[in-house]
Amino acid sequence: MSEFHDSDPLRTLFAEYEDDTAPQIRAAGVAAATIAVRRLRKVRSTLIAAGVALLFAMPVAAYALMSRPTGPPVTPGSPGPTVSASPTPRPPATPVATEPVPAGGISRDELRSATFDVPAFVENEGYVPCGSGSIAFINGSGGMVLSENNRQLIIGGVSYADIDGNGQWETIVHLECSQGETGPQQLIALRRAGSTIQTVGAVVKTDAEIQQFYDFTGMSDGTVQVNVRSGRICCDVPYSSMQHQVRGYGWTGQRFEQVLGSRSFHSDKVNLQVTVSKLVFGKPTAGVRTGTVMVRVSNTGPVAVEDVILLLSLRHAEVAGPGWAAERWLPRSPARHFETLRPGENLELDLSVTTTQANVNEVGVQIFAFSAMTNGDLLADSKPDDNEGSGNLAGISPEIQFG
Amino acid sequence: MSENDVGAGPPEFAELYARHFRSLTLQLNAYFGDLEQAQDVVQEAFVRALDKWKKIQNYEDPAAWVRRVAWNLATSQWRRRRMVRAYALRQRQETVAGPGPERVALIRALATIPNDHRRAVILHYIADLSVAQIAEQEGVAEGTVKSWLSRGRAALNSRLAIKEV
């Protein structure tokens, strides 16, 4: 850089700083990193085995179980109605199964080595857009297909929707312009046109408002439902610091338009606070111990919370007692809904868990509180740091929860 | 090596670690003014890289990925708050030796300039990145980086009573 000279006194000062500081640096080392990764993977596999999703760390995927409303998956190949208004009542839309690939659909494996038009990403603060236009994807690890200064255009999840109801299913593809751990995203619809793949259009793109998608699925009514966020989960950002909504998009014949869900994020900032007592275990009975922890959720904000959701992240433990079930927004994790909590009100419950673990110090119990509206929208908390609590140190696993 | 077995770490990863841990820690220490936090953040960035090594090893510049993740972690206010809590839980003892006077003056001066300017200055002087590379990492135009550098440099010169060259 011509404007900064070698004789720059600052360069000398920085060199002195490096000389002075470098000897004091203590690298934990590759071995420590290896142990950390092993531990990370062990915890992940434990959580998966226990049925707890890596809900805060996972990138976007076509999550076919996202259920609004509940019901069996549609058999691919059945006709998909259009999204235009109809005077006759219809059965509720259900998620479309991704296996086997429906008629006209394109498999993810085929897409990873295909050529198709990529619409331009929306330029967003802090990120450089990836390329657009006709792009030849090559088969690569993790769907990584393009390398230019570490910007990677990645094919993420794939789902299917018969957007125009003609019996030939379009393929909905998640694309991410990955930069570091996140980046601009878009969902696009593709269809076969002879031997080529034609881009029908963009379903939705991240922009200044929608900062990230979490998951998406094609529905039996030809729409695409997308879980959108008002912020980016990256770098330990708490889940409850941003809003989460499901929005649906339908094909008008010319473009995709929103047909379901809130059209904007809410302005109210709620404030829940979680306090948790120490987790105490009783004596084992037939090898099973029961532990109890007292959970208090306080509404310290200025507005009422219509629907309080408590979510559990458990390690080597299962929740005991009724009312806990997988939650649509936070799938596969034990969650429980509670009624309206007004400003100044508290919610208290004794939470019981069981474990067969001999060493109870290995048991992790972490509780998260979320504010939701009756329509299912999750609201952002003004102090998200206090929306979680743990009955013991083993419950704290930031690399899993917020990675 | 299967994805589930990191073994002792692949040799390429070990080389990357050996070549860049120190420089990255120097950068983040200059930003934080806290060597222990800087070391923790850089270590975590490398842990994430090792976890995704199968993918990252194919990148044109894996070090740039680690640097970006480390800086993302460093500039995340949430990350910093969690680290403070983790620190309190571990009740670790401060073991780092006291800094020299030049280092104190520079770190103090850096702490007084805007975050954008500070990152640009650190990436320029310690990471030896070009304006284009800083612009790439920060996701801004090169002109913006030039402005940050110029203003950051002027502010540092003023605070450290250095005459402009």
Side-chain angles (χ1 to χ4, degrees):
Chain A
M1 289 177 293
S2 59
E3 68 270 43
F4 300 108
H5 310 287
D6 289 339
S7 58
D8 181 353
L10 277 177
R11 191 166 287 289
T12 306
L13 271 181
F14 273 99
E16 288 173 0
Y17 154 76
E18 292 185 37
D19 291 343
D20 182 40
T21 308
Q24 299 176 47
I25 293 175
R26 300 285 179 267
V30 174
T34 305
I35 290 167
V37 171
R38 279 195 186 127
R39 176 174 165 268
L40 187 64
R41 290 177 182 173
K42 186 178 176 185
V43 173
R44 267 188 208 142
S45 62
T46 304
L47 289 173
I48 290 169
V52 179
L54 302 180
L55 46 128
F56 305 126
M58 291 291 281
V60 170
Y63 187 63
L65 296 179
M66 192 173 77
S67 52
R68 177 204 286 265
T70 56
V74 167
T75 304
S78 62
T82 63
V83 297
S84 57
S86 167
T88 55
R90 291 185 179 154
T94 53
V96 174
T98 53
E99 294 287 343
V101 176
I106 308 161
S107 73
R108 185 170 183 274
D109 282 347
E110 183 180 347
L111 284 173
R112 291 175 69 201
S113 302
T115 298
F116 54 86
D117 279 340
V118 173
F121 287 85
V122 176
E123 191 165 348
N124 209 346
E125 184 184 354
Y127 292 105
V128 181
C130 280
S132 57
S134 179
I135 290 182
F137 289 76
I138 57 171
N139 198 10
S141 129
M144 184 269 291
V145 293
L146 187 72
S147 175
E148 182 191 355
N149 297 327
N150 286 311
R151 283 204 302 276
Q152 310 288 338
L153 183 56
I154 295 172
I155 294 178
V158 171
S159 190
Y160 302 97
D162 185 4
I163 63 171
D164 48 11
N166 68 354
Q168 290 295 302
W169 294 64
E170 279 72 24
T171 302
I172 313 300
V173 183
H174 166 244
L175 297 174
E176 178 171 341
C177 177
S178 175
Q179 294 166 51
E181 294 184 293
T182 183
Q185 306 169 335
Q186 60 178 311
L187 296 181
I188 66 171
L190 304 174
R191 65 161 62 109
R192 291 189 187 280
S195 61
T196 63
I197 293 174
Q198 178 189 37
T199 300
V200 180
V203 179
V204 60
K205 301 177 181 180
T206 55
D207 54 22
E209 189 211 12
I210 298 175
Q211 298 270 318
Q212 201 173 50
F213 309 138
Y214 176 57
D215 51 33
F216 70 100
T217 187
M219 303 297 288
S220 58
D221 63 356
T223 62
V224 180
Q225 288 192 3
V226 189
N227 188 329
V228 300
R229 291 170 169 160
S230 62
R232 301 180 195 128
I233 291 286
C234 170
C235 321
D236 303 303
V237 176
Y239 198 83
S240 53
S241 69
M242 61 191 69
Q243 299 189 49
H244 308 254
Q245 299 177 349
V246 167
R247 298 184 186 183
Y249 298 87
W251 178 246
T252 65
Q254 276 102 31
R255 70 186 73 84
F256 281 92
E257 288 187 354
Q258 189 181 344
V259 294
L260 176 80
S262 298
R263 293 185 175 273
S264 62
F265 288 109
H266 305 284
S267 55
D268 277 346
K269 276 259 186 178
V270 291
N271 190 7
L272 293 182
Q273 184 180 53
V274 174
T275 52
V276 181
S277 70
K278 187 178 178 185
L279 178 61
V280 178
F281 282 94
K283 292 182 176 176
T285 302
V288 177
R289 288 177 188 268
T290 298
T292 306
V293 65
M294 202 279 282
V295 180
R296 171 184 284 178
V297 182
S298 306
N299 184 348
T300 55
V303 295
V305 175
E306 294 177 353
D307 179 15
V308 176
I309 303 174
L310 292 190
L311 179 90
L312 304 179
S313 175
L314 305 174
R315 185 189 304 173
H316 301 310
E318 291 187 6
V319 64
W324 297 91
E327 217 288 312
R328 175 168 57 87
W329 285 95
L330 306 165
R332 291 179 285 170
S333 299
R336 188 171 163 186
H337 291 253
F338 296 87
E339 292 188 352
T340 302
L341 199 63
R342 293 176 182 80
E345 287 185 342
N346 298 316
L347 160 70
E348 291 185 355
L349 78 152
D350 291 322
L351 172 68
S352 295
V353 297
T354 59
T355 183
T356 55
Q357 193 78 6
N359 180 3
V360 294
N361 290 326
E362 292 293 316
V363 176
V365 177
Q366 205 163 0
I367 298 108
F368 299 86
F370 297 100
S371 302
M373 300 184 71
T374 50
N375 69 355
D377 289 357
L378 288 192
L379 300 172
D381 200 281
S382 56
K383 293 181 181 173
D385 275 350
D386 64 13
N387 279 45
E388 62 183 279
S390 174
N392 57 344
L393 194 60
I396 297 173
S397 50
E399 69 274 32
I400 290 297
Q401 302 306 339
F402 300 106
Chain B
M1 189 179 67
S2 75
E3 192 161 27
N4 290 325
D5 180 15
V6 292
E12 300 83 0
F13 175 81
E15 186 184 335
L16 182 81
Y17 188 98
R19 288 183 60 189
H20 296 283
F21 187 93
R22 195 186 76 156
S23 171
L24 273 173
T25 304
L26 286 169
Q27 293 166 43
L28 296 192
N29 179 53
Y31 187 80
F32 284 138
D34 183 324
L35 186 58
E36 197 152 351
Q37 272 202 42
Q39 289 172 167
D40 284 352
V41 166
V42 174
Q43 182 73 9
E44 180 158 342
F46 275 106
V47 166
R48 293 182 185 206
L50 181 58
D51 187 39
K52 298 177 173 69
W53 187 248
K54 197 173 172 185
K55 173 179 159 186
I56 291 166
Q57 66 180 344
N58 295 319
Y59 285 6
E60 190 176 289
D61 185 2
W65 188 94
V66 177
R67 186 177 64 241
R68 181 166 187 124
V69 169
W71 275 97
N72 280 346
L73 290 169
T75 54
S76 160
Q77 58 173 319
W78 310 114
R79 162 76 194 174
R80 296 194 69 175
R81 287 182 193 173
R82 293 185 72 84
M83 288 181 70
V84 168
R85 280 194 292 161
Y87 180 88
L89 283 168
R90 290 199 299 268
Q91 295 181 315
R92 292 189 306 199
Q93 299 296 311
E94 181 64 54
T95 57
V96 178
E102 297 81 8
R103 176 181 151 201
V104 169
L106 180 62
I107 298 293
R108 279 186 182 160
L110 278 168
T112 64
I113 67 176
N115 291 345
D116 293 341
H117 302 178
R118 186 155 86 245
R119 283 199 304 277
V121 165
I122 291 168
L123 290 169
H124 170 68
Y125 283 104
I126 303 178
D128 281 332
L129 297 191
S130 67
V131 167
Q133 286 171 315
I134 297 171
E136 169 82 23
Q137 172 164 322
E138 296 294 310
V140 296
E142 291 186 22
T144 303
V145 173
K146 286 178 181 172
S147 168
W148 287 350
L149 278 172
S150 178
R151 290 157 71 184
R153 188 168 173 266
L156 285 179
N157 282 335
S158 168
R159 290 177 183 46
L160 296 167
I162 296 171
K163 286 185 179 177
E164 293 278 359
V165 290

